[in-house]
Amino acid sequence: MSSPTSSPTTVITNIASLVTNDPSLGDGSPLGLIQDAAVVVDGDRIAWTGESSKAPATDNRVDAGGRAVIPGFVDSHSHLVFAGDRTAEFNARMSGRAYSAGGIRTTVAATRAASDEELEANLTRYLAEALRQGTTTMETKSGYGLTVEDESRALRIAARHTDEVTYLGAHIVSPDHADDPAAYVSLVTGDMLNACAPYARWVDVFCEKGAFDGDQARAILTVGKAKGLHPRIHANQLSYGPGVRLAVELDAASADHCTHLTDADIDALANSATVATLLPGAEFSTRAEWPNARRLLDAGATVALSTDCNPGSSFTSSVPFCIALAVRDMKMTPDEALWSSTAGGAAALRRTDIGRLTPGAYADLAFLDAPSHVHLAYRPGVPLVTQVWRRGVREV
């Protein structure tokens, strides 16, 4: 299948079930499931998918051994540039004890005190941890520096390791500006934005009581958009609020959390290109109310599933764990949960070259030590991912 000037081609055969996320293939479902399947990889891209018996000749051959193969997970929401942890806070919360430490502010202090080398070592450690569990694309944010220097260095470090980098200077009002939130909004939309924009693709804001209100969030996202960064937003996590409708108004790629939604919020999402990104690790780790994925899906909204990996409220890098939570506690089917953690995550990043296994997409895929993707929810906590390929190269 290759010519003297092309890259070697590889066929992966003996795949028990292949998730393509192309409903024109296989069983015609949203997952485009093909049984007894094969995939041809040419360089960093998928060149062909179909039944094993119809696979074209290639330079190399890999036997999947009757395993399922799925697209690599697309984790579209994480906070990986930080130092320290919040073990004491978590332990107190799980023990029913009051805890008066500063939450995000605790991580801000540790992150500011850390060296660039320490922050990068942490970041690469968690990216590698996620990769071992099948995540081939991971978005990550700033938000634990909250000064011009610390936010820009967080993004500079992140940009060395992922294309999906988000400026979140508006995580909380910096402790340095506790008495003057307006001055901090001016900093976030001025000098901080100017320093951070070269390293980021996205701009984000935590629109919530105790963080930034709707007017502040609109100002921050609007100025970021004018600077060339596309909006996404932490919306409606802890309470009802304006975040979701603001996301739709500004054509944000995603509204993330979406725990407390009115019917109007759901209608707005269902009639927009804004993805509802659900983060069940946060509800699990805080014993909070689960998002109602069923309402969103039944209304026709596009749903993504992500980890929200961060040291305070969701310290997990495991998309399979989040799939199991979504199926058990958020009323998603195993098919919906897998689609949302692959194609849904890609939609939340406005990407069509990841999250699917069809010709032209990146060859990002994971082998499961199981005959079907359903085992991800059926066998929670079991490390089923046995191989991970990213851009045509086996990395795990």
Side-chain angles (χ1 to χ4, degrees):
M1 192 173 173
S2 65
S3 69
T5 57
S6 67
S7 53
T9 56
T10 299
V11 63
I12 304 169
T13 63
N14 195 15
I15 299 170
S17 64
L18 173 70
V19 174
T20 67
N21 285 336
D22 183 343
S24 72
L25 298 175
D27 66 354
S29 72
L31 294 188
L33 277 172
I34 304 174
Q35 306 297 329
D36 188 18
V39 173
V40 173
V41 176
D42 186 354
D44 62 358
R45 303 277 177 164
I46 300 294
W48 180 91
T49 58
E51 297 174 13
S52 270
S53 61
K54 300 176 182 177
T58 58
D59 302 302
N60 303 303
R61 191 176 189 89
V62 172
D63 188 333
R67 295 176 176 84
V69 171
I70 62 173
F73 298 124
V74 180
D75 192 342
S76 61
H77 184 126
S78 77
H79 305 249
L80 299 183
V81 187
F82 67 88
D85 68 27
R86 305 217 303 263
T87 309
E89 175 186 332
F90 177 80
N91 192 34
R93 185 165 63 235
M94 294 298 108
S95 304
R97 299 195 304 269
Y99 187 74
S100 59
I104 290 172
R105 292 170 183 81
T106 302
T107 302
V108 169
T111 302
R112 289 179 178 180
S115 68
D116 288 11
E117 292 74 19
E118 289 168 327
L119 293 178
E120 189 159 24
N122 259 355
L123 170 67
T124 55
R125 171 188 167 196
Y126 296 125
L127 287 173
E129 183 180 277
L131 182 67
R132 290 195 299 272
Q133 298 172 88
T135 298
T136 50
T137 301
M138 198 155 197
E139 179 270 1
T140 198
K141 310 175 193 294
S142 65
Y144 292 124
L146 310 186
T147 66
V148 172
E149 179 183 355
D150 287 303
E151 286 293 293
S152 60
R153 77 167 176 148
L155 295 173
R156 184 175 66 249
I157 290 167
R160 291 201 282 261
H161 300 279
T162 179
D163 295 333
E164 301 297 345
V165 179
T166 301
Y167 166 49
L168 183 60
H171 199 182
I172 59 168
V173 174
S174 169
D176 312 317
H177 292 81
D179 298 327
D180 193 355
Y184 186 64
V185 171
S186 294
L187 181 67
V188 167
T189 56
D191 290 347
M192 189 183 288
L193 173 63
N194 292 333
C196 290
Y199 305 107
R201 183 181 177 207
W202 306 99
V203 59
D204 198 346
V205 61
F206 187 19
C207 183
E208 189 64 66
K209 292 173 184 175
F212 298 90
D213 65 24
D215 290 340
Q216 292 169 324
R218 179 182 284 102
I220 291 163
L221 295 177
T222 301
V223 173
K225 196 171 183 179
K227 194 74 173 176
L229 305 182
H230 202 86
R232 46 200 328 109
I233 187 168
H234 286 60
N236 301 53
Q237 177 187 5
L238 306 176
S239 60
Y240 294 96
V244 163
R245 275 162 289 175
L246 179 61
V248 172
E249 172 193 326
L250 296 177
D251 186 36
S254 65
D256 298 27
H257 288 290
C258 293
T259 308
H260 298 276
L261 300 179
T262 64
D263 289 343
D265 292 329
I266 291 172
D267 288 344
L269 287 166
N271 291 289
S272 75
T274 299
V275 174
T277 299
L278 307 183
L279 308 165
E283 281 72 36
F284 177 86
S285 299
T286 59
R287 291 179 177 161
E289 177 183 341
W290 298 102
N292 192 330
R294 192 75 267 140
R295 284 176 72 200
L296 287 160
L297 290 163
D298 289 348
T302 301
V303 171
L305 268 183
S306 294
T307 63
D308 192 17
C309 186
N310 76 82
S313 61
S314 184
F315 204 2
T316 180
S317 59
S318 175
V319 172
F321 174 65
C322 292
I323 287 173
L325 292 180
V327 171
R328 168 62 180 81
D329 290 305
M330 286 162 44
K331 300 182 172 61
M332 297 181 81
T333 68
D335 284 14
E336 289 167 341
L338 180 64
W339 189 95
S340 294
S341 60
T342 52
L349 296 173
R350 300 255 164 117
R351 298 274 298 271
T352 59
D353 56 351
I354 56 176
R356 61 189 180 92
L357 295 177
T358 54
Y362 280 116
D364 294 349
L365 50 90
F367 290 49
L368 305 180
D369 193 15
S372 165
H373 65 281
V374 176
H375 284 239
L376 290 165
Y378 179 45
R379 304 194 68 206
V382 177
L384 294 177
V385 174
T386 59
Q387 287 189 40
V388 182
W389 293 41
R390 184 162 56 185
R391 300 202 172 183
V393 176
R394 182 178 175 180
E395 298 206 16
V396 173

